[in-house]
Amino acid sequence: MNEALLRSLTPSVLAILVRRGADFAAAEDAVQDALVEAVRGWPADPPRDAKGWLVTVAWRKFLDATRADTARRRREDLVDEEPSPGPASQVDDTLQLYFLCAHPSLTPSSAVALTLRAVGGLTTRQIAQAYLVPEATMAQRISRAKRTVSGVRFDQPGDVATVLRVLYLVFNEGYSGDIDLTAEAIRLTRQLAAAIDHPEVAGLLALMLLHHARRAARTAPDGSLVPLAEQDRGRWDTALIAEGVEILQAALARDRLGEYQAQAAIAALHADAPTAEETDWVQIVEWYDELVRVTDSPVARLNRAVAVGEADGPRAGLTALAALDPALPRHTAVAAYLHERDGDLTTAARLYAEAAQQAPNLAERAHLTRQAARLNTARSR
């Protein structure tokens, strides 16, 4: 069973059902039922046209469910529109589905959560971590979003800002999480940039390319994380860096600064430094100031504390960190790093161990555990 194929076909199948009149929640249920049948039947009898098979089965599942409820009479005329056997359209509906999920009847945060769950394939836990809320809270938000759009025709696509937020979170989860979604996020953002002349679309694309350019150097052969300062910069993709910088410069020249352009500018400064020691931390702090001004994001403030610690010394970084909520994800890890830079190895080792218990994925947990062990070994000598 090719799970990657099923994942790639799901958005298009869902979009087709929505366009044919299925409300979003019912369409999602029907597609999930079709995927279950695919998992059961395809290994023994794979279809010639996988997408066409999924569309046909999902549509039948939707009609079966519709006939069972009180709207049976109103929905029966949809039977005549059942897709005929044969090859299905090869048009990529994924980006369109992102816009459809960003429906005006939903708040931006609900639209993002619904799209990440239904189209991006993220779990409720992963979405909750991205939004810094408990998993139960996010589950309720997604359920409310499904109820809100139930029965609503998706003929009023949502706005670009909401779609950008979804693409950004999908990329972040793919870049640092347990599921590889980065290539798909970049592909869709390229499509959006080709279709819409918008500086923040360009800024997001530049940000993705600049981060993705460093991906090969982010892990050691054994799979362990390699911090930015220790990465082999010879493994960075210079072509992607050059493309990202060019796109960013064109966006910044339009003088309509947004959060993605500011983040891309920070990534570009890291990419421009021949060595970690030559990083222009003063300018990075200035860009973080712009990012905080635009977003007032606690995550931006946390990252700014690290940059301040590099530019003005660890004591200054710890002072900036003290103004932030200790419950903020990765707050403990940042505190550990700054205390180590300040020479307090005992506190740093303890905080690294605590941060490891809070880590959102296994790779980060292993990295922080190794950091704690390294400092404990150094102290015992």
Side-chain angles (χ1 to χ4, degrees):
M1 169 55 59
N2 191 331
E3 294 184 8
L5 174 61
L6 288 177
R7 176 184 289 275
S8 67
L9 292 176
T10 297
S12 291
V13 176
L14 185 55
I16 289 170
L17 265 64
V18 170
R19 285 203 303 269
R20 289 182 174 273
D23 66 70
F24 188 88
E28 186 186 14
D29 289 342
V31 171
Q32 293 301 318
D33 288 342
L35 292 175
V36 170
E37 286 205 15
V39 171
R40 291 173 178 168
W42 283 14
D45 184 21
R48 287 192 297 271
D49 176 17
K51 182 177 177 180
W53 187 97
L54 284 172
V55 169
T56 300
V57 173
W59 187 253
R60 287 173 178 164
K61 294 288 185 183
F62 165 70
L63 292 178
D64 288 344
T66 300
R67 292 191 189 100
D69 64 26
T70 57
R72 177 179 59 82
R73 296 181 184 278
R74 182 171 61 86
R75 299 287 191 177
E76 279 184 344
D77 59 344
L78 296 176
V79 174
D80 295 333
E81 298 180 22
E82 180 174 339
S84 58
S89 168
Q90 296 304 309
V91 175
D92 184 358
D93 298 293
T94 307
L95 188 58
Q96 180 187 12
L97 190 56
Y98 271 63
F99 274 96
L100 292 176
C101 286
H103 196 271
S105 63
L106 296 173
T107 63
S109 61
S110 294
V112 170
L114 178 62
T115 312
L116 290 172
R117 184 71 185 93
V119 189
L122 274 64
T123 65
T124 303
R125 176 183 60 80
Q126 290 168 325
I127 301 170
Q129 289 174 346
Y131 266 85
L132 312 181
V133 299
E135 184 175 348
T137 300
M138 183 53 64
Q140 292 175 353
R141 184 179 301 178
I142 293 172
S143 295
R144 284 197 300 268
K146 289 182 179 180
R147 288 195 298 270
T148 299
V149 300
S150 180
V152 173
R153 290 300 299 266
F154 281 72
D155 53 1
Q156 293 180 283
D159 65 356
V160 174
T162 301
V163 174
L164 287 179
R165 176 61 56 186
V166 176
L167 289 169
Y168 173 73
L169 290 173
V170 168
F171 178 84
N172 278 351
E173 188 58 44
Y175 190 73
S176 61
D178 302 321
I179 301 176
D180 188 355
L181 299 169
T182 53
E184 177 70 356
I186 291 173
R187 183 182 71 83
L188 293 173
T189 307
R190 284 191 187 278
Q191 285 187 9
L192 189 58
I196 299 177
D197 183 19
H198 192 297
E200 274 292 81
V201 176
L204 179 58
L205 179 57
L207 175 63
M208 289 180 176
L209 295 175
L210 289 164
H211 276 301
H212 200 57
R214 303 199 303 260
R215 187 165 193 184
R218 291 186 71 245
T219 54
D222 62 0
S224 60
L225 291 181
V226 180
L228 176 61
E230 300 172 18
Q231 289 176 15
D232 178 0
R233 300 185 178 219
R235 299 183 65 195
W236 289 1
D237 189 326
T238 55
L240 281 184
I241 291 173
E243 182 185 4
V245 169
E246 182 179 1
I247 292 171
L248 173 63
Q249 288 175 338
L252 291 174
R254 302 178 65 174
D255 199 24
R256 290 169 54 192
L257 183 66
E259 62 175 302
Y260 303 117
Q261 296 169 74
Q263 289 190 57
I266 293 168
L269 286 168
H270 283 297
D272 186 57
T275 66
E277 292 72 25
E278 296 174 85
T279 302
D280 189 345
W281 286 106
V282 172
Q283 193 173 169
I284 287 176
V285 171
E286 292 174 355
W287 274 111
Y288 270 120
D289 289 339
E290 290 293 326
L291 183 59
V292 169
R293 179 183 62 80
V294 170
T295 67
D296 195 29
S297 163
V299 175
R301 292 181 183 276
L302 181 68
N303 291 331
R304 179 185 178 278
V306 176
V308 169
E310 299 289 353
D312 301 327
R315 295 286 177 90
L318 287 167
T319 298
L321 186 66
L324 303 179
D325 184 355
L328 191 64
R330 296 188 171 89
H331 184 284
T332 307
V334 170
Y337 174 75
L338 291 172
H339 276 290
E340 180 184 357
R341 288 283 315 281
D342 195 40
D344 186 353
L345 302 189
T346 300
T347 300
R350 174 177 56 79
L351 290 173
Y352 275 130
E354 291 179 11
Q357 297 302 314
Q358 305 165 4
N361 56 67
L362 292 176
E364 191 168 335
R365 181 179 304 168
H367 170 72
L368 292 168
T369 300
R370 284 193 297 271
Q371 295 293 83
R374 174 178 58 80
L375 293 187
N376 285 326
T377 299
R379 289 168 49 223
S380 65
R381 289 175 179 171

